[in-house]
Amino acid sequence: MRTAPHLSRRALLTAAAASVTAGVTVAATPSQASVARRSLPSAAFAGFRTAGRVKKAADGSVQYTWPGIAFEGRFCGTGVGIVLDDSVNDYDVQIDGTTVSTLVTPGRTTSWVKDLADTEHTVRLVKRTECPWAAGRFGGFVAARGGEILPAPAARSRQIEFIGDSFTAGYGNTSGTRDCSANGGVDRNSNASLAFGALTARKLDADYQQNAFSGRGMVRNYNGGDPGTDYRTYYDRALLNVVGDVWQKPRGWRPQVVVVGLGINDFSTPLHPGEPWATQSELIAAYTSAYHGFLDKLRARYGSRTFLVVSATLVSGTAFADTAQSIARDRNARGDDRVGYWYYDDPALNRLGCDWHPSLRDHEIISGLLDQYLATLPLDW
């Protein structure tokens, strides 16, 4: 097994203010996107749905922090406005399945897509970036004059939850160079909607959550950073930047598959003096115990029929892959036959995303490997 190169320079994301690079709104024909300042609408304007973790406000708007959050709606008419309050994150706007504009740190605005055929359309807004310290606010869709917002699309019967780190988030995946400091930085070069999990979910026509947090591990963060916290510190939250926040799971959210990808940050860097684990064997023991506890949480939350996938990929050495596989085997030995192990790697991976992360091409390859793996599972689709 070849040795993986170093991982992210943005070792972990902390709940602190961060500077962002200003950008422009990019639009493609046949639509023209424009921005006008206005207040967030009342609940009467609401006509959207999301499978992502959001916090509802009294005025009908919602806040959120996880990457890949998507809002879907339907409207009739020649245009639609997207009401946002977010000066940090980037978004793609899709009309009838085609991306027509990218909103870069849009601020408090209504972005319009106009000059459409006067008929029924679908609209989808998807959050490209991660930025867990900055909550975005979505105020709904509004119809152009003479049009009408229609009832939101129905929920899909297939549901998948992706749990992980920067690989799952799509960190730096649109960059063509590993050093992206000169071409916009990580945020301008990330698109969660084109990460492997999102790609697979859309091919399956599944609703999905992309609950990813870069730099976090099951028990140890990248390079031992931010000690005393790990991914589990944040998993139960809707708003990652709010200590003590708890996401209220909707009754209808019961994924048939949960793919867990935690371990790259636990094992990719050497232990340092002063960390809780003096040896890798101690780290492996702590990781194994925590992982079993996390799987217990998922099993209690989603029931016995949900298939839990313990995933691993190439990092320095084999500790990550060997330990993850052992955890899955142990669950099976305990009588839970709906826990599986998925290892992904491919010689064609070029890792040309920011800081040696998977590129867009890599995510397509990994998505294909995931497609093949899921096809082997006895899923209740």
Side-chain angles (χ1 to χ4, degrees):
M1 181 177 292
R2 54 196 173 89
T3 302
H6 78 281
L7 293 179
S8 168
R9 65 168 176 79
R10 189 171 79 175
L12 53 116
L13 301 174
T14 56
S19 62
V20 295
T21 304
V24 297
T25 298
V26 180
T29 56
S31 304
Q32 298 173 347
S34 62
V35 173
R37 300 197 174 274
R38 57 164 289 152
S39 301
L40 293 174
S42 67
F45 287 93
F48 60 87
R49 62 172 294 272
T50 181
R53 296 185 175 190
V54 299
K55 181 75 70 172
K56 295 181 179 179
D59 65 355
S61 66
V62 293
Q63 287 186 291
Y64 44 86
T65 52
W66 292 100
I69 296 280
F71 302 97
E72 297 178 317
R74 298 166 55 242
F75 67 97
C76 187
T78 61
V80 64
I82 298 100
V83 183
L84 280 168
D85 186 1
D86 191 341
S87 298
V88 175
N89 292 286
D90 299 349
Y91 298 82
D92 279 343
V93 179
Q94 299 166 354
I95 301 294
D96 300 330
T98 299
T99 299
V100 297
S101 65
T102 295
L103 310 178
V104 179
T105 61
R108 189 178 180 89
T109 68
T110 297
S111 177
W112 287 92
V113 180
K114 299 179 179 179
D115 300 330
L116 301 171
D118 191 2
T119 186
E120 184 176 324
H121 302 277
T122 62
V123 55
R124 183 173 186 264
L125 177 75
V126 58
K127 180 173 176 277
R128 294 167 56 114
T129 42
E130 194 172 348
C131 300
W133 57 80
R137 184 185 292 269
F138 172 63
F141 300 115
V142 290
R145 181 174 295 181
E148 178 185 9
I149 297 297
L150 303 174
R156 296 171 177 84
S157 60
R158 294 176 176 177
Q159 299 177 342
I160 309 177
E161 181 173 342
F162 297 97
I163 293 170
D165 48 38
S166 55
F167 279 39
T168 302
Y171 176 109
N173 58 350
T174 68
S175 175
T177 61
R178 292 164 182 155
D179 182 358
C180 57
S181 58
N183 64 344
V186 173
D187 289 340
R188 301 294 83 78
N189 286 282
S190 296
N191 190 340
S193 185
L194 297 179
F196 69 88
L199 293 174
T200 288
R202 288 198 298 277
K203 281 183 282 187
L204 291 169
D205 191 30
D207 281 336
Y208 64 94
Q209 288 187 359
Q210 209 165 342
N211 299 326
F213 197 153
S214 289
R216 300 287 165 169
M218 184 64 77
V219 296
R220 181 177 184 259
N221 301 320
Y222 181 82
N223 206 31
D226 202 6
T229 69
D230 51 53
Y231 180 89
R232 296 171 300 153
T233 307
Y234 303 92
Y235 174 69
D236 288 328
R237 300 182 187 180
L239 301 180
L240 292 164
N241 60 334
V242 179
V243 176
D245 184 57
V246 177
W247 174 62
Q248 301 299 321
K249 184 181 78 68
R251 184 177 301 175
W253 182 249
R254 187 176 293 274
Q256 294 96 340
V257 185
V258 178
V259 180
V260 183
L262 294 170
I264 294 173
N265 295 299
D266 297 87
F267 295 108
S268 61
T269 55
L271 291 167
H272 305 295
E275 291 197 63
W277 318 278
T279 65
Q280 188 176 76
S281 295
E282 292 181 3
L283 174 61
I284 289 172
Y287 175 86
T288 300
S289 176
Y291 213 125
H292 279 298
F294 192 67
L295 293 176
D296 289 340
K297 174 195 284 283
L298 294 175
R299 183 59 76 214
R301 173 173 289 179
Y302 295 133
S304 61
R305 300 304 300 166
T306 295
F307 208 98
L308 307 179
V309 179
V310 177
S311 72
T313 189
L314 178 67
V315 296
S316 300
T318 63
F320 176 28
D322 292 346
T323 305
Q325 185 175 35
S326 177
I327 289 168
R329 286 175 174 170
D330 190 26
R331 303 297 290 201
N332 297 156
R334 297 181 190 183
D336 190 344
D337 62 356
R338 296 185 79 81
V339 175
Y341 171 69
W342 172 52
Y343 177 83
Y344 62 92
D345 189 32
D346 191 287
L349 297 179
N350 57 39
R351 296 178 176 84
L352 286 177
C354 297
D355 306 315
W356 292 87
H357 279 72
S359 64
L360 288 178
R361 179 172 174 269
D362 290 348
H363 278 282
E364 291 174 356
I365 293 172
I366 297 169
S367 173
L369 296 173
L370 180 57
D371 297 344
Q372 294 172 23
Y373 176 76
L374 293 179
T376 69
L377 302 182
L379 296 174
D380 301 327
W381 291 121

